Amino acid sequence: QARLAESGGGLVQPGGSLRLSCAASGFSSSYYWIYWVRQAPGKGIEWVSTINTRGDRRYYAESVEGRFTVSRDNTKNTIYLQMDSLKPEDSALYYCARPAERSYYLEIPKKNVDMDIFGSWGQGTQVTVSS
């Protein structure tokens, strides 16, 4: 069964860093574009970052550009989101997700993402940025 599992969230002070991991199981993540999205309390789901199958094309939301870095290790079937210079407004539940189809670039909205457009996603990992 295809599964994604996020980890690495936690409580961090403003300006701090966290690295989120997205571990894939039951399928080879190397065939899929991977998306990071997040949901803050009381808000819709927001797109954060996207990485292609080879890891040489990366895209970021304007709000995280220059602070977050997405990467992947296809030998470990894992995708990462390095988050630096964290701000309180980065506090959210972070999810990784993939399309239903291999090698398929899924066009998604920047705001109010409907998770049903993805083929699979994890349970999320909580990031809280607070002093």
Side-chain angles (χ1 to χ4, degrees), residues 8-20 68 83-92 94 126-131:
L11 174 63
V12 64
Q13 292 187 340
S17 297
L18 283 174
R19 188 177 81 154
L20 306 185
F68 289 13
M83 305 188 298
D84 298 318
S85 302
L86 282 161
K87 304 176 181 180
E89 51 264 42
D90 295 318
S91 297
Y94 283 73
Q126 180 67 43
V127 172
T128 302
V129 185
S130 175
S131 55

Side-chain angles (χ1 to χ4, degrees), residues 2-6 22-25 27 34 96-98 120-123:
R3 186 168 175 264
L4 293 167
E6 303 91 342
C22 171
S25 59
F27 72 102
I34 299 294
C96 61
R98 68 158 176 89
S120 181
W121 61 92
Q123 80 289 347

Side-chain angles (χ1 to χ4, degrees), residues 6 20-22 35-37 47-49 70 79-81 95-96:
E6 303 91 342
L20 306 185
S21 297
C22 171
Y35 297 72
W36 285 96
V37 298
W47 169 71
V48 175
S49 182
V70 63
I79 303 87
Y80 305 97
L81 186 67
Y95 299 90
C96 61

Side-chain angles (χ1 to χ4, degrees), residues 37-105:
V37 298
R38 66 186 181 186
Q39 186 171 29
K43 295 188 177 181
I45 296 173
E46 174 189 25
W47 169 71
V48 175
S49 182
T50 301
I51 187 168
N52 71 333
T53 56
R54 293 191 305 271
D56 58 354
R57 292 169 65 183
R58 311 174 189 190
Y59 305 96
Y60 301 96
E62 187 176 327
S63 59
V64 308
E65 180 84 55
R67 300 187 298 119
F68 289 13
T69 304
V70 63
S71 62
R72 65 193 304 160
D73 185 340
N74 286 339
T75 66
K76 296 182 178 179
N77 224 17
T78 302
I79 303 87
Y80 305 97
L81 186 67
Q82 176 68 40
M83 305 188 298
D84 298 318
S85 302
L86 282 161
K87 304 176 181 180
E89 51 264 42
D90 295 318
S91 297
L93 188 60
Y94 283 73
Y95 299 90
C96 61
R98 68 158 176 89
E101 299 178 22
R102 289 184 174 187
S103 303
Y104 184 72
Y105 173 70

